[in-house]
Amino acid sequence: MAKVRNGMTPRDVVAILGPPLDFTDETDPGLGGGAGGRAGWRPLGLWWLYADWPKPGVEITVFFAHGEVASYTERPWHPPEDEVVWDEWAYEVMVDHVALMEEEFPDQRLADQPGWYELTTQEVLDFVIATRADPIAPGRIGHSARRFDDVDVLVSKFRV
């Protein structure tokens, strides 16, 4: 796997690691007045977080300043055991959904797409049923993502 380096753009990072699991956008309120006091605001930077992705047991943080990678850290990461929730129902939903899409849209050549059948591999299914994607607060959508060769798998959860 190629390594993230200083000076890369967000697009370069997504090409290597896929979309981030989470991000934090920091701004500096500055001293400018203007409408609503926002005229002086300027970006400090953007933090992207990859936890347990693109490979299990690793947390990656990428910091962008002025639209380029300013720092990159990779360290071991393991979720606390009480954070892992097994959504067993998702296994059957995934397999059924892939089959249904092929049946309902045969002219779309879904099965010819890179990574299509990878959606039903044991590795992907294990990720989907055990992913930590619970929302952090009511009214929010939680999400998690991971790259598997030719396909990015994104899982969203929300409280009903």
Side-chain angles (χ1 to χ4, degrees):
M1 176 187 293
K3 190 86 169 174
V4 174
R5 297 178 317 278
N6 287 354
M8 294 177 90
T9 67
R11 182 174 290 199
D12 297 332
V13 174
V14 168
I16 294 171
L17 300 178
L21 169 67
D22 205 354
F23 68 92
T24 303
D25 189 3
E26 296 181 338
T27 54
D28 176 10
L31 300 175
R38 295 183 56 98
W41 284 45
R42 60 184 182 271
L44 286 176
L46 177 66
W47 295 89
W48 280 6
L49 172 68
Y50 296 84
D52 210 25
W53 184 47
K55 55 189 174 190
V58 173
E59 177 181 87
I60 295 172
T61 305
V62 181
F63 175 67
F64 296 93
H66 307 292
E68 295 181 344
V69 173
S71 70
Y72 167 88
T73 57
E74 187 174 316
R75 59 186 164 266
W77 182 85
H78 300 285
E81 220 22 68
D82 62 348
E83 283 188 20
V84 177
V85 177
W86 292 85
D87 292 320
E88 300 287 346
W89 56 268
Y91 184 100
E92 196 170 320
V93 169
M94 286 281 295
V95 174
D96 289 350
H97 179 69
V98 168
L100 183 64
M101 293 298 290
E102 284 180 14
E103 184 180 311
E104 287 195 21
F105 303 101
D107 57 333
Q108 300 298 316
R109 297 182 162 193
L110 295 172
D112 295 340
Q113 299 300 311
W116 178 253
Y117 284 108
E118 197 164 347
L119 291 172
T120 58
T121 63
Q122 194 62 51
E123 186 180 19
V124 170
L125 293 169
D126 285 348
F127 167 73
V128 170
I129 66 174
T131 191
R132 295 161 284 98
D134 293 313
I136 58 172
R140 303 280 308 265
I141 296 175
H143 59 280
S144 185
R146 186 166 164 205
R147 175 166 284 176
F148 295 90
D149 293 328
D150 291 326
V151 65
D152 292 328
V153 177
L154 294 103
V155 177
S156 299
K157 293 183 181 180
F158 59 92
R159 292 191 180 109
V160 190

